[in-house]
Amino acid sequence: MNERQARVIARMFREGIDGFTDGLSAANYITITGTSRATATRDLHELVAMGALTQTGMLKSTRYQLAITLCLTSVY
């Protein structure tokens, strides 16, 4: 994970569930990191491939959410 990707993941955790309405967009990524659209798209695809983010939608409506699985265990 590169520095830009780590910065965005940390920001998503800080913002919480309601931080990015309907998920993070490429435009949000560009604003946070100051990178080009091509680099943002490449970084986001890498984050999906490594399992850090999930992707919904296509083209301009593509959004990304943290890929968090909650594990709840019962203690008896």
Side-chain angles (χ1 to χ4, degrees), residues 17-73:
I17 294 171
D18 298 323
F20 293 95
T21 305
D22 298 325
L24 179 80
S25 67
N28 295 136
Y29 192 94
I30 291 165
T31 300
I32 294 167
T33 62
T35 192
S36 69
R37 181 164 294 279
T39 299
T41 300
R42 185 172 46 253
D43 282 356
L44 287 164
H45 286 155
E46 287 176 4
L47 288 167
V48 170
M50 70 177 70
L53 297 179
T54 59
Q55 177 182 337
T56 57
M58 296 178 69
L59 302 172
K60 289 188 177 203
S61 65
T62 303
R63 297 294 180 267
Y64 302 88
Q65 291 84 26
L66 289 171
I68 299 174
T69 303
L70 296 177
C71 281
L72 302 175
T73 57

